[in-house]
């Protein structure tokens, strides 16, 4: 057994694994993200927090549940994990119900609290409804996700949608009128619901104080409770699980060019790319907007050369698909997809495949810091350059870590829906402020 009293995070995509792992790193925990479960071995010394990316968000629910069960058992039996955390998407995409229940079975916990709010990013839960900056998630970009669209905002119904009819009774909720009263009343309600057979208990949260009270209620409860949530709840748990805070050592980073690969077509990402293009403080930035014709073929030598030749000194090359959304409204683009029998979901896969191949080929001829946008894009591009695991080495922003792989490759990952208009600029300014002199 490698270490006891450690933390095990099980996530369904890489950006979620990373932003949640970061919360424990910021409390001083030595933290690693595992991209390939086969790389889990006892050579990873002194790791206190493990974040396992199963990449199960968009696969068959039965396979997702089995994967989560098996990997959770592996963490429990091989590494003596004491505290488990189920990372779920703050916009409720993925096989949430199935994966939480699988993790409950593997850990033998009594029930799970489901708290997907991420207050720091404007995502709150009120009356059981999930809102993104005051807007129900069914009216945001999450509703138009080509792989896992969201059709409703009421979390209990979203959870029930992933269960058989006979299992709907497993879902319960604790609303703000109880949360606002503090840890004692929350714990009493938890005990009541769990004793009545509830396994998935949705928690309202509109502030970081709510997270803190929920965490205290978990400690007061007479049951073993699995926390399932976003990076917001994880942040509140860090101080409780890890005790004394050990501030991370400030990181110096090498002076290298940056390659941005974005497979996200969200309005948030489009705004971030646009703001970067307009910014006058960040110089030597080269933008490549991919179009449908690019995506439907292999990355060619001319494109590889264009990128590699610009990845010099501290230059920035940004490859993105932000203009593709508008292009796909044109009749010729629609007809081409119809003629070739390509669905929206298949096109999303082709975009990710293209960017992963691009990362692999550019890596063969240039050295750079990789910045990826989009969960699947981040995972596939990281795997394409042979990453099996990532170590968190610094916090760029409160929800964006700087990571390093076994070959000293620096990688930054960001969810397509995360951040403000200036987030991408802020990431790049971090490198300017932290470079080796």
């Amino acid at each position: 057994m490698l270490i006891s009293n450690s933390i095990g995070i099980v996530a369904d995509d890489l950006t979620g694994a990373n932003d949640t792992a970061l919360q424990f790193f910021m409390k001083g925990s030595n933290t690693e993200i595992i991209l390939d479960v086969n790389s889990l071995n006892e050579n990873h010394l002194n790791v206190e927090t493990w974040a396992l990316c199963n990449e199960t968000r968009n696969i068959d629910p039965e396979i997702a549940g089995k994967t989560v069960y098996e990997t959770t058992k592996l963490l429990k039996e091989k590494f003596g994990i004491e505290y488990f955390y189920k990372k779920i998407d703050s916009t409720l995409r993925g096989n949430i119900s199935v994966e939480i229940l699988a993790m409950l079975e593997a850990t033998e916990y009594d029930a799970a609290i489901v708290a997907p709010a991420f207050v720091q990013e404007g995502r709150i839960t009120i009356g059981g409804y999930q809102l993104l900056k005051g807007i129900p998630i069914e009216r945001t970009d999450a509703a138009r996700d080509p792989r896992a669209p969201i059709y409703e905002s009421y979390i209990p119904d979203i959870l029930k949608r992933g269960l058989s009819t006979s299992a709907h009774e497993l879902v319960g909720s604790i609303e703000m009128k109880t949360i606002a009263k503090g840890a004692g009343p929350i714990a009493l309600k938890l005990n009541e619901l769990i004793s009545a057979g509830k396994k998935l208990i949705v928690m309202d949260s509109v502030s970081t104080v709510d997270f803190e009270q929920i965490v205290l209620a978990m400690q007061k409860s007479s049951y073993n409770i699995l926390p399932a949530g976003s990076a917001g709840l994880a942040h509140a748990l860090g101080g409780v699980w890890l005790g004394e805070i050990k501030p991370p050592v400030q990181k110096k980073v090498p002076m290298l060019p940056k390659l941005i690969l974005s497979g996200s077509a969200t309005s948030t990402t489009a705004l971030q790319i646009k703001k970067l293009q307009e910014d006058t403080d960040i110089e030597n930035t080269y933008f490549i907007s991919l179009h449908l014709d690019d995506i439907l073929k292999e990355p060619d030598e001319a494109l590889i050369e264009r990128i590699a030749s610009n990845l010099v000194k501290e230059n920035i090359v940004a490859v993105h698909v932000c203009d593709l959304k508008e292009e796909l409204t044109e009749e010729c683009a629609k007809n081409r997809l119809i003629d070739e029998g390509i669905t929206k979901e298949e096109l999303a896969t082709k975009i990710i495949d293209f960017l992963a191949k691009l990362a692999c080929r550019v890596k063969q001829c240039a050295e750079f810091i990789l910045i990826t946008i989009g969960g699947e894009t981040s995972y596939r591009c990281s795997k394409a350059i042979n990453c099996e695991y990532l170590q968190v080495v610094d916090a760029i922003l409160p929800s964006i870590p700087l990571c390093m792989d076994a070959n000293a490759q620096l990688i930054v990952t960001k969810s397509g829906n995360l951040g403000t208009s200036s987030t991408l600029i802020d990431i790049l300014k971090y490198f300017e402020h932290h470079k080796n002199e």
Side-chain angles (χ1 to χ4, degrees), residues 14 21 103 120 159 185 194 211 361-362 378 420:
L14 182 57
M103 202 162 172
Q120 299 90 327
L159 296 178
I194 297 171
F211 290 139
R361 293 185 61 184
V362 174
S378 296
T420 66

Side-chain angles (χ1 to χ4, degrees), residues 6 12-13 42 68 97 111-112 116 127 152 205 222 235 263 266 282 330 349 359 384 398 404 435:
S6 54
D12 67 354
D13 84 333
E42 298 191 5
V68 168
S97 302
E152 54 195 325
S205 307
S222 53
H235 181 77
T266 66
I282 297 179
E330 300 172 1
T349 299
M404 180 182 291
K435 64 186 178 182

Side-chain angles (χ1 to χ4, degrees), residues 281-299:
D281 292 331
I282 297 179
E283 300 177 341
N284 303 317
T285 304
Y286 185 66
F287 294 89
I288 298 176
S289 178
L290 297 177
H291 297 279
L292 184 59
D293 188 54
D294 300 310
I295 300 302
L296 297 183
K297 62 184 181 182
E298 297 284 312

Side-chain angles (χ1 to χ4, degrees), residues 275-414:
K275 287 291 185 181
L276 178 59
Q277 289 175 317
E278 295 172 347
D279 191 271
T280 56
D281 292 331
I282 297 179
E283 300 177 341
N284 303 317
T285 304
Y286 185 66
F287 294 89
I288 298 176
S289 178
L290 297 177
H291 297 279
L292 184 59
D293 188 54
D294 300 310
I295 300 302
L296 297 183
K297 62 184 181 182
E298 297 284 312
D300 57 29
E301 291 300 329
L303 178 59
I304 304 300
E305 172 59 26
R306 283 170 65 197
I307 295 172
S309 63
N310 281 278
L311 285 173
V312 295
K313 297 183 179 180
E314 295 181 82
N315 287 5
I316 300 159
V317 177
V319 184
H320 64 90
V321 293
C322 293
D323 297 326
L324 190 58
K325 185 176 180 180
E326 182 176 351
E327 182 182 356
L328 292 176
T329 64
E330 300 172 1
E331 287 302 316
C332 58
K334 291 180 182 178
N335 292 335
R336 184 173 181 185
L337 292 178
I338 292 171
D339 292 342
E340 299 195 24
I342 299 172
T343 65
K344 287 184 178 180
E345 183 173 352
E346 289 168 341
L347 180 60
T349 299
K350 287 182 178 295
I351 291 171
I352 295 163
D353 288 345
F354 185 93
L355 292 172
K357 291 173 182 175
L358 198 61
C360 178
R361 293 185 61 184
V362 174
K363 181 63 179 174
Q364 294 170 1
C365 51
E367 190 176 4
F368 51 82
I369 295 170
L370 178 62
I371 301 171
T372 56
I373 303 177
E376 284 190 273
T377 299
S378 296
Y379 179 82
R380 288 289 308 282
C381 289
S382 297
K383 291 287 287 182
I385 58 173
N386 299 317
C387 291
E388 292 182 346
Y389 67 91
L390 298 169
Q391 182 176 30
V392 180
V393 295
D394 203 3
I396 293 178
L397 293 170
S399 55
I400 299 178
L402 174 64
C403 297
M404 180 182 291
D405 73 0
N407 299 311
Q409 169 76 53
L410 291 173
I411 298 176
V412 181
T413 65
K414 189 192 81 67

Side-chain angles (χ1 to χ4, degrees), residues 247-264:
V249 177
Q250 191 175 46
K251 179 71 177 177
K252 292 288 187 179
V253 297
M255 297 173 62
L256 289 172
K258 289 83 183 172
L259 174 60
I260 301 171
L261 296 178
S262 174
S264 170

Side-chain angles (χ1 to χ4, degrees), residues 73-119:
K73 290 286 283 186
L74 178 63
L75 285 173
K76 181 180 179 181
E77 295 172 358
K78 188 171 183 179
F79 297 98
I81 300 296
E82 181 175 0
Y83 302 113
F84 282 94
Y85 190 86
K86 180 66 184 83
K87 168 61 172 67
I88 61 175
D89 179 43
S90 59
T91 59
L92 284 304
R93 293 169 296 171
N95 298 300
I96 295 174
S97 302
V98 171
E99 293 195 14
I100 296 175
L101 289 176
M103 202 162 172
L104 283 175
E105 183 182 358
T107 57
E108 300 180 347
Y109 283 17
D110 298 303
I113 59 168
V114 183
F118 194 174
V119 176

